């Protein structure tokens, strides 16, 4: 039996009861190793994180943010971030645009489902449009700016997920379509 290589390698304490005797075992009826607490019998499931994002469009330009945080500090990105509990993917994407660019967007369509299964992340990115053309610089950004396809700093993009969705966006726009594209890392 091989362990899921993407499982965290250690869990020192049970977050439910505080016991330090966590075991790695296959629960009855399951087929994967899980962290199990023998003390309170809770199973600590670990599942992928959703990253929600939205590309804000204004006329023929798109809004990108230069990251002021790690990872990829100083590189440009489409506003994106981890979905919070109790939040729809759409609301999470709009929140990220506000947090990173102080801009209000309306969601247009879902353009990208991008799997990073080896680090347990799934990106869901939308195309949206700026409500009033206004934007600022959010606390997680050092700079926010509108770019045409030709002026995008393609060599300074933070993540393949955003390069993938930007390329698909301009393809969709030229074709007059709103197609959802799917890929896995490292496709761009
Ligand atoms: Zn426990």
């Amino acid at each position: 039996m091989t362990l899921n290589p993407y499982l965290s390698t250690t869990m020192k304490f049970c977050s439910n009861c505080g016991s330090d005797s966590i075991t790695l075992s296959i629960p009855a009826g399951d087929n994967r190793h899980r962290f199990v607490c023998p003390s309170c019998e809770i199973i600590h499931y670990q599942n992928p994180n959703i990253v929600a994002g939205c590309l804000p469009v204004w006329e023929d330009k798109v809004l990108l943010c230069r990251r002021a945080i790690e990872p990829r500090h100083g590189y440009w990105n489409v506003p994106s971030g981890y979905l919070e509990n109790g939040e729809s993917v759409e609301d999470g994407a709009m929140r990220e645009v506000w947090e990173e660019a102080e801009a209000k967007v309306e969601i247009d369509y879902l353009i990208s489902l991008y799997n990073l299964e080896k680090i347990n992340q799934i990106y869901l990115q939308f195309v949206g449009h700026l409500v009033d053309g206004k934007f600022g610089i959010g606390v997680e950004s050092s700079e926010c700016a509108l770019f045409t396809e030709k002026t995008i700093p393609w060599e300074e993009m933070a993540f393949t997920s955003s390069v993938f969705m930007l390329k698909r966006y301009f393809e969709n726009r030229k074709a007059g379509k709103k197609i959802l594209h799917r890929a896995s890392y490292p496709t761009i």
Side-chain angles (χ1 to χ4, degrees), residues 131-162:
V131 171
D132 52 15
K134 296 177 183 172
F135 62 91
I137 303 172
V139 290
E140 296 177 355
S141 306
S142 60
E143 190 179 354
C144 297
L146 290 166
F147 296 93
T148 63
E149 182 178 9
K150 288 185 177 174
T151 61
I152 286 175
W154 292 103
E155 303 304 316
E156 296 176 54
M157 293 301 299
F159 303 115
T160 55
S161 52
S162 289

Side-chain angles (χ1 to χ4, degrees), residues 14 16-19 37 39-42:
C14 175
N16 188 51
C17 75
S19 166
C37 176
S39 183
C40 71
E41 299 186 340
I42 199 168

